Structure formats: structure tokens, C-alpha cells
Amino acid sequence: MSEEALVGLFVATVQFGTLVFLAALGELIAERAGVLNLGVEGMMTMGAVSGFMVGLETGSAWAAFIAAAAVGALVGGLHALVSVVLGADQVVSGLALTIGGLGLAAYVGRNVVGERPETKFTDLGIVGLADIPWFGDIFFNQPPVVYVAVLLGLAVWFVLTRTRWGLALRAVGESAPTTDAVGHSVMALRSGAVMVGGAFAGAGGAFLSLYMAPGWTEGMVAGRGWIAVALVIFGAWRPGRLALGALLFGFTLALQPRLQSFDIELLGVDVSSISPALLGILPFVLTVLVLVIISWRYRHRPSVAPAALGLPYRREER
Amino acid sequence: MASENADHAVWLRGIEKQFPGVIACAGADLRVRPGTIHALLGENGAGKTTMVNVLAGVYRPDAGEVWVNGQRCSFHSPADAIAAGVGMVYQEFRLVPTLTVAENIVLGSAPRLLRSVEIEERVAELSAAYGMVADPTRPVWQLSMGERQRVEILKSLWRNASVLVMDEPTAVLTPGEAAELGAALRAMAEGGRSVIYISHKLDQVVAFCDEATVLRQGKTVATVEDLQEVDLTSLAEMMVGSSEGGYVDRPPAMEAGPEVLSLQGVCALNDRGLPALIDINMTVHAGEIVGIVGVSGNGQKELAEVINGLRRPTEGRVTVKELDITGASPGDLYGMGLAYVPEDRLGVGLAPKMSVVDNAVVRSYRSQRQGIFLSITKCVKFCQSLVERFAVRVGRLNDPIAGLSGGNLQRLLLGRELAEQPSVLVAAQPSRGLDVQGVAAIQGHLVDQRAAGVGVLLISEDLDELLALSDRLLVMFEGRIVGEYGPDVTPRTVLGSAMAGKAPK
Ligand SMILES: Nc1ncnc2c1ncn2[C@@H]1O[C@H](COP(=O)(O)OP(=O)(O)O)[C@@H](O)[C@H]1O
Ligand SMILES: [Mg+2]
């Protein structure tokens, strides 16, 4: 395998990693507040189409990125309304969001299918570092969204662990009645978390349609939203592990299309003969594995999963 | 008007609150003077918790006024009540198990930026100032119930509450811890705070409290200005509305039958993987009630679970009528004549959202079959006979059971377990939280079962109940059986010190 191909593989790993990281980080925020949102795929798709269209219209990648985040937040707000405010089943509402989001995106974007983008993010060569062989290209010559994602990850970690809002958010994900009784608004915390989460997913979608696969085609998110949902579990609801998991999942995503062109042997197996489809299920297999390990390790103490995940709250009900 | 109210730390006036199908409060009043400990008394279901939840801003009353420290208040959320100075220690604690003590205490009024060391220091100072020991760095799930309660009180103190509400605070405490709590509350009252103390343990109320309000069926039926001047019986009368009550008399001793249940060297772990049962040896004979005495949390729950196949013993043998049943499933055990009334009625015992019929047949559905299908007619018939035999007051048989009162739930549960004439009955806290008639009915059934030759293992926290019903008493402490006593000869003080682990071996 050529050196170039190998660097290419790792460059793509970081980009795919960023894509699923952004969406998963959003889902992590919602889930830490106790709201399961299975609408990630739908929110990403809506972000992808609206980001692309705003990009076409304004010619500014940043405006497109922010618009996509706003659309993601709005779509997430729908989930918040149905499942947090009205207390409907979160699984049903989330699935509806995915199905509805895919359909709506197809409708909204029907006239821009196949259009050539006039704008996209360009790689951001970080002065002095981008020229380092190998590492320069992989880490320091990436589109700005990659660095934004890193900053967002740090910010989420900081807010969750070091601020009163983070404390309240973690508390509401563990026990809504407790959080309510100390005077926080359960509805505001959870709705806010779901909307911010939606913004992250929408932004992830825009990264796809404005950089990784510039343009808009139906179904272009292609299951990465589901990988993000799995990644939250894989990352045990912790931003740091989420980042590591994102790189691992990003690697499998980057490897998939390249696998066939690799003429190397691993453990006596010709790598190019492995089906990419098998690689596609690897993230989910790993997630199940991690779930098994977590359940075993935490059998004698409270689980790492937010205890109130999926449970709606109404104050006067018991 | 205002001057009259200014005298009161709390004045709840004409509070009405209705839930679907129940009137919890029907115009109840409560006045608390500043600097006093005020007992709020009443039987289960009298509306005590509902009243204080109105005060804490959790429930919005349908009618009535809330005054705190002379101000008319209209609480839209707990945040409003906290701002007005109300601190509440809920009957079921409101703590986040995965967060630390310090995080739980500051939750809701934390500084914008959390510096854990600084917060932990401030919490440590607070707990030192009030003499309530609590390690601020420990996660709450590791704490005992007594420690959790201290954290709850510290939470209110952190917010500088002027009114502290304690809903049934001693239900989870040992007698020693309860006395400590009394002293701490007294110190707070002397510091000018007011305390509302909900309980139905009358002896404690008289020991701790200055004045009292008695609720019955959602109405205030009596107020007591000076608790030292009334006697316990008249208080009890006020609560139940009649002087009867108390416990079913223990039936005359019978010749013990053959051994029906025995445990030999049984050890088991609790949910946290720590030893919960250590070398338990005991037997129950037919026609005998064996009472397990102990403060809850000393292995009683695990004992009941091991016998009923819900927890695997790590060592030892359990036999029913000389059959080794160690490790058998609850379904098999039911077939072998083991009936179980678990402590957690609505979680383990019954399924709240299922109908009366479904709950009634869920144990014995195999007998209600028609070919491979369940016969609805048979099910309904079976359920009707249960309902009649055990005097369960129900609405429609197809409605979910969640709407039933505690006493009726327990009658239904007991009836279901006893439907197919078991030989062993394990009953955990069967009369806890029931009203007087409910307690009498349940205890009556236990005694009937004994007369019918069933071996009954009665696990209870109510010493009077155990003394009244049991033929033998076994005391549990920290997972061991530390003593065996006959009910007639044993003074309560001996049992009390055995419960606290001070039994002569
Ligand atoms: N959130 C609720 N929903 C429905 N019914 C309730 C609720 N809270 C209390 N009740 C009912 O109101 C009555 C009074 O309950 P509660 O105030 O808890 O009594 P107490 O604390 O005196 O035992 C009971 O019949 C109870 O079942
Ligand atoms: Mg109560």
C-alpha cells in the first residue's frame, strides 16, 4: 500500500470521526439530560440539505453551517415538544423524527439534487504544523469544522463537569423529581439539551454536504446518524471516550470504501477480500460488546447510563 | 388579617386537592408557629404528604391559601417555595445516587462555576456547624438511609430554609438514629426555624414535638397546642376517629406441626455484592408464625428473596417440606406450595398498569386454561371469588389496579398468593402503611393461615405486630440471626438492644 493511500486513510478517519463525533456529542447532551433521541439520522439529513441550500444561496460556508445547526435545533425542538413537554414516548417520537426528517429533506431538496456547490469548507493549513510529514496532513491540514468539533467537545466536557448547568443537566438525567424539587425546571433543561443536541447533529449534516460529499442527494447521511447513537453508548456517555470512539468508528467508515484496494495480508487473510459490509456493522458489534462489558463492570453499582434515560416526567403524577 | 398571619411561620388554609379518583385534601388547615416543632399526624392516606407537597410547590392546590412567614404565596414550582424559605425532606428521598454528597447539597443553588474542592469544603463546614456528619466527597449511592437523610436536611440548611418539612423521617432509621434526629431538629427550632414533622409513630411525636395537627381523610380534625398535655391514646383516637384499633390478638398456642421450611447455613450477597446473609439457620413449622425482628436493611429483604428464588444463595440449602429448593425459580416454588407477599407491593407484588383480573391470575394462570389458551371466563370467575373472599374493594375488574388504595392492593395480593392453599407463606411488611381496618384484615388472614396449618414467616418492622402475632421471634442484625425469643417472656427492651446488635450471644 502506498504511503499516500495510508495518509489518505487517516485523513478520512479524522473527517469521518468528526462527522459522527459532532452528531454523537449532541446526542450525548440530550441523553445525559435523560432524553433519548433516535431522530439523529433525521436531524443530520435536515442539516445536510438546509446547509447545502443556504450555501448555494449565500455563498458562505459558515452561514450554511450555522443555518444547518439552527435547523437541527428546530427539528430537535419538535422532539422536545412531543416527548418532553407533552410527555410522549421518546422512542416513538425519535423514530418519527428520523423517518419524517428523511422525507422532509427529500421534499425540501428536490430542486437542488445534483447541483454543484459553489462553496465549501477549505482545508485550514495551520501555519508551521501543516507541513510536518504525515501528521501535518492528518491533524493540521483539515477543514475548520474538525477544529470546531474539538473545541465543542472540550466545551461540552467543561460545561457538564464544571458548571451549575452541567450539574443540573446530569441530575435531571438521573432523577427528574429530584431536580425539580431543588428548583430547576426539568422542562427547560431537557428541552434545551435536546435542542442543542439537534444543533450539533444539524451541523454534522452540513459538514457532510459542504465538505465531505459536497452536494445533496437523498439518503446521503447513510446511517451515520445511527452510528452516532451507538457511539454515545460506546463512549459510555462521557465526552472523552466519545472522542476516542469517534476516531475508531471514523476509521471503520474511512476504511470501508478503501478496503478493496488494499493488497495486504493480515493474519493470513487477504484484506481486500473482506466484504465492506462486514466492516459496516463493526461499530454496532463493538457497541454491543462495550454494553456487555459495562453491564458486567457496573453490576454492583449504579449504571453509567443516565438512570432516567427515556422516562418522561410530569410533576403531579406518581 | 395580616397581623394575625404574621404570627405564623406557615399557615395552610382550606387546602383542597383532588387526584383522579381520590380527594387527598378536603379543606385542611395547618398553622405552625415560628421556632416550634409541629407534628402533622394522620393515618396513611390521610393527605399529609399532599399537604406538605402543596407547601413545597410540588402540587398546586385546587383551592385554599398558602402563607409562609406572614406572606400570602402562590407557588408555581418548587423553586418558588424554596425562595420563600421552605425546605422539604421528602418521604422518598430526592437525591441523585451517582452524584456526591456535596453535589447533591448544592444542586439547584450552585455557583455558576463549580470548584469541587471549594464546594466540598463549604459543605463540610455546614455539616460541622450542625453536627451532621456526612463525607462530602462520597457518592450518595454508597450511603446508608440515615446518612442520606442527613444529606437531605443539609440540603435545606444550605438554602437557609426557615421552614423545614420532614415527611415520615424515622421510617428508615434505627431507634438511636431517630433520637439523634430529634436532638438535631430541636437545635434547629431553638435557632428560630420551624419544623413540620410528619409521622404516625406517636411515641416519637410526643418526644420531639411541641404542637400537633391531626388530619383524617383530608380534613383537619384536631389541633394540639401543647403535646405534653395529651396522652397517646387520645392522640391515636383522633387519628383513627375511634378508640378501637391496635392488633389482632394472638391465637392460643398450637402444637407445632412438621417442619415446612428450613434454611441451613445460607449465605447471600446484596445488590452491591456485599454479604447480606451470613450463615442463616432457621426452621418454620406448619401452623406456626415465626417473626423476623430487625431494623430494615439488616438482611430481611435478601432473606425473603432467597427463600422465594429471587436471589441465589452463595452457600447453604433451603428446603420446603424436605425438598431441596435451593436455586429453584419462583414459578416452581409456587407450584411447591410457597406463597410470597413481598415488601414492595406495587413493584414486585403487583403490576400497577395491569387490570385487577390480570393481577389476580398472574400466579395461577395455568389453572385458568382452556386448551392452550387462557379462558377469560375462568379468569374473571377466579378473580371475582378472590375479591369476595378477601373483601377487596374494587371498581371494575378490568381497570388498572393503580387506583386501588394500599389496603385493597394488599388484600388482593394476599388473596392471590393464598388462592391455591400454600404450605409456606413468606410475608414481608404485610401491614405496613395500611389503615386500621386494613391492618386488622391482613393480620386476621395471617392468623387464619396459621390455624389452617400454614407455616408463616412474618418479616416486619412493627414490633407490636410481631409480638402480637408470632409464636417465635428471630432477631436479625447485619445479616445474621442474633437471637431467638418467645413473645410472652421477652421485654421490648431486650428485643430493642438485640435489634441494635447488642444481644447476649
Ligand atoms: N400524585 C398522586 N396521584 C394520585 N393520587 C395520589 C397522589 N398523591 C397522593 N394520592 C392519593 O391521595 C391520598 C392521600 O395521600 P397522601 O397525601 O400521600 O397521604 P399520607 O401522606 O397522609 O399517607 C391517597 O389516597 C393517595 O393514594
Ligand atoms: Mg405520606
Side-chain angles (χ1 to χ4, degrees):
Chain A
M1 186 168 48
S2 73
E3 190 175 302
E4 210 174 313
L6 202 61
V7 171
L9 172 65
F10 286 112
V11 167
T13 293
V14 170
Q15 292 171 2
F16 275 112
T18 300
L19 177 66
V20 289
F21 180 69
L22 267 177
L25 195 62
E27 180 66 8
L28 179 142
I29 297 171
E31 292 196 12
R32 286 302 291 265
V35 186
L36 180 68
N37 187 353
L38 295 182
V40 183
E41 182 87 2
M43 296 188 295
M44 283 179 87
T45 308
M46 283 301 292
V49 72
S50 46
F52 179 65
M53 288 172 74
V54 171
L56 276 183
E57 204 59 42
T58 64
S60 154
W62 282 113
F65 190 68
I66 288 165
V71 167
L74 277 179
V75 179
L78 219 59
H79 182 60
L81 178 71
V82 174
S83 71
V84 178
V85 179
L86 303 175
D89 187 286
Q90 294 175 7
V91 172
V92 175
S93 166
L95 287 177
L97 211 61
T98 282
I99 298 167
L102 290 176
L104 185 63
Y107 173 76
V108 170
R110 67 196 180 285
N111 294 326
V112 293
V113 177
E115 285 217 27
R116 288 176 48 81
E118 286 162 22
T119 174
K120 60 173 245 173
F121 284 111
T122 45
D123 296 342
L124 191 78
I126 295 178
V127 181
L129 296 172
D131 299 331
I132 304 172
W134 288 51
F135 291 101
D137 270 340
I138 296 171
F139 293 114
F140 304 113
N141 195 13
Q142 292 279 13
V145 175
V146 171
Y147 308 109
V148 169
V150 172
L151 292 178
L152 284 175
L154 287 170
V156 168
W157 169 81
F158 183 81
V159 171
L160 271 181
T161 56
R162 296 294 141 93
T163 69
R164 69 173 283 173
W165 304 287
L167 179 63
L169 200 86
R170 284 182 282 141
V172 81
E174 295 290 331
S175 165
T178 302
T179 315
D180 190 26
V182 297
H184 281 298
S185 163
V186 172
M187 217 180 269
L189 281 168
R190 288 190 165 171
S191 302
V194 174
M195 290 184 70
V196 171
F200 282 34
F207 180 50
L208 194 63
S209 66
L210 290 168
Y211 181 86
M212 294 185 61
W216 161 251
T217 47
E218 248 182 75
M220 70 183 294
V221 177
R224 276 73 165 251
W226 292 108
I227 292 188
V229 172
L231 178 55
V232 178
I233 303 168
F234 184 88
W237 292 270
R238 306 276 184 278
R241 295 191 207 175
L242 195 77
L244 290 181
L247 285 177
L248 183 63
F249 285 15
F251 180 72
T252 66
L253 287 170
L255 196 58
Q256 255 186 72
R258 293 173 170 79
L259 197 63
Q260 239 102 63
S261 62
F262 285 180
D263 50 354
I264 46 173
E265 277 201 2
L266 215 73
L267 305 168
V269 180
D270 179 6
V271 167
S272 65
S273 71
I274 300 174
S275 159
L278 267 184
L279 205 59
I281 62 167
L282 193 62
F284 298 100
V285 173
L286 289 174
T287 299
V288 171
L289 218 82
V290 165
L291 255 185
V292 170
I293 296 169
I294 293 180
S295 323
W296 175 250
R297 288 219 358 231
Y298 285 81
R299 67 197 179 284
H300 294 314
R301 51 190 170 126
S303 156
V304 276
L309 185 58
L311 304 178
Y313 175 69
R314 289 195 202 100
R315 183 180 290 156
E316 300 212 353
E317 241 169 51
R318 48 161 201 198
Chain B
M1 198 70 171
S3 61
E4 188 189 335
N5 300 332
D7 302 344
H8 292 106
V10 172
W11 188 20
L12 297 175
R13 185 166 177 230
I15 301 295
E16 291 175 24
K17 179 70 189 177
Q18 195 163 359
F19 292 109
V22 240
I23 299 171
C25 290
D29 298 296
L30 171 69
R31 289 190 206 208
V32 181
R33 283 184 293 129
T36 58
I37 306 181
H38 190 106
L40 184 56
L41 297 167
E43 291 207 281
N44 267 89
K48 307 178 297 290
T49 299
T50 306
M51 277 290 265
V52 292
N53 270 320
V54 166
L55 178 60
V58 178
Y59 295 160
R60 304 213 61 189
D62 301 331
E65 296 172 8
V66 177
W67 297 72
V68 177
N69 296 326
Q71 297 287 316
R72 171 86 192 264
C73 302
S74 169
F75 296 148
H76 295 270
S77 72
D80 296 343
I82 291 168
V86 178
M88 173 103 168
V89 177
Y90 293 84
Q91 196 164 358
E92 285 101 27
F93 293 154
R94 298 285 152 87
L95 296 171
V96 180
T98 49
L99 297 184
T100 65
V101 168
E103 284 172 325
N104 267 287
I105 288 174
V106 304
L107 180 65
S109 56
R112 283 203 181 82
L113 282 187
L114 299 180
R115 291 183 196 85
S116 26
V117 179
E118 184 190 314
I119 288 171
E120 280 158 12
E121 268 169 20
R122 281 169 64 195
V123 166
E125 276 166 29
L126 182 77
S127 68
Y130 287 90
M132 295 203 199
V133 190
D135 178 355
T137 59
R138 277 180 73 190
V140 160
W141 64 268
Q142 295 178 346
L143 304 185
S144 75
M145 285 299 156
E147 289 171 305
R148 286 181 204 204
Q149 188 172 63
R150 263 176 257 154
V151 176
E152 283 279 25
I153 296 174
L154 286 170
K155 245 166 100 174
S156 292
L157 293 173
W158 177 265
R159 285 162 185 72
N160 204 12
S162 61
V163 177
L164 181 68
V165 184
M166 308 272 314
D167 197 352
E168 309 242 356
T170 52
V172 295
L173 302 185
T174 61
E177 283 176 320
E180 243 167 64
L181 173 68
L185 293 182
R186 175 55 59 198
M188 280 174 222
E190 267 156 19
R193 293 175 215 268
S194 315
V195 179
I196 298 176
Y197 184 98
I198 300 183
S199 179
H200 50 231
K201 293 192 179 167
L202 289 176
D203 46 345
Q204 285 174 358
V205 164
V206 174
F208 298 171
C209 302
D210 306 310
E211 37 179 48
T213 296
V214 183
L215 287 187
R216 193 193 320 146
Q217 293 176 353
K219 291 202 184 80
T220 301
V221 292
T223 51
V224 180
E225 298 264 315
D226 186 353
L227 264 176
Q228 306 313 322
E229 295 193 346
V230 289
D231 65 333
L232 285 180
T233 15
S234 67
L235 263 187
E237 277 170 33
M238 288 178 195
M239 280 165 64
V240 298
S242 67
S243 58
E244 69 197 278
Y247 300 90
V248 167
D249 280 332
R250 187 154 45 95
M254 303 199 320
E255 201 146 309
E259 195 176 290
V260 284
L261 172 72
S262 103
L263 276 74
Q264 291 134 32
V266 169
C267 299
L269 303 178
N270 65 15
D271 292 339
R272 291 194 219 155
L274 304 171
L277 296 179
I278 301 154
D279 190 27
I280 300 283
N281 293 293
M282 56 180 281
T283 55
V284 178
H285 297 90
E288 171 185 57
I289 297 182
V290 175
I292 300 284
V293 185
V295 175
S296 70
N298 277 293
Q300 295 97 320
K301 176 167 157 272
E302 288 80 6
L303 177 67
E305 287 175 350
V306 162
I307 296 172
N308 289 286
L310 295 168
R311 183 177 296 272
R312 252 171 206 287
T314 49
E315 265 174 63
R317 265 161 37 98
V318 183
T319 55
V320 167
K321 290 199 285 187
E322 284 161 17
L323 231 64
D324 190 341
I325 59 156
T326 322
S329 77
D332 296 339
L333 291 171
Y334 180 74
M336 294 176 201
L338 196 72
Y340 179 35
V341 175
E343 179 177 344
D344 180 10
R345 270 161 233 163
L346 260 194
V348 179
L350 299 162
K353 290 190 176 157
M354 279 165 60
S355 70
V356 180
V357 176
D358 290 347
N359 271 290
V361 301
V362 72
R363 266 291 214 184
S364 57
Y365 61 92
R366 285 191 186 81
S367 322
Q368 332 295 342
R369 275 185 305 199
Q370 180 98 56
I372 59 166
F373 298 106
L374 266 185
S375 156
I376 301 293
T377 1
K378 276 191 194 171
C379 289
V380 171
K381 243 195 200 149
F382 174 79
C383 178
Q384 259 161 354
S385 73
L386 268 193
V387 165
E388 277 161 30
R389 207 174 123 206
F390 289 88
V392 189
R393 256 175 295 148
V394 290
R396 297 214 320 262
L397 292 186
N398 282 322
D399 283 348
I401 58 158
L404 299 189
S405 77
N408 285 311
L409 287 175
Q410 192 68 326
R411 286 191 185 96
L412 180 69
L413 175 56
L414 194 64
R416 182 188 81 196
E417 292 298 312
L418 297 176
E420 301 197 329
Q421 199 47 64
S423 46
V424 178
L425 169 64
V426 179
Q429 319 291 357
S431 63
R432 177 153 82 188
L434 305 187
D435 57 21
V436 173
Q437 292 100 323
V439 171
I442 298 301
Q443 294 181 344
H445 285 301
L446 295 181
V447 170
D448 290 348
Q449 291 305 309
R450 169 181 179 271
V454 176
V456 180
L457 184 68
L458 174 60
I459 300 174
S460 174
E461 270 166 58
D462 184 338
L463 207 49
D464 296 313
E465 173 174 83
L466 289 168
L467 284 167
L469 297 181
S470 314
D471 297 291
R472 272 189 301 138
L473 292 169
L474 302 175
V475 182
M476 278 194 85
F477 180 71
E478 294 189 341
R480 292 175 206 272
I481 291 183
V482 293
E484 176 170 346
Y485 302 92
D488 298 319
V489 288
T490 319
R492 299 169 55 101
T493 48
V494 172
L495 286 174
S497 52
M499 282 164 74
K502 294 174 198 125
K505 277 277 161 68

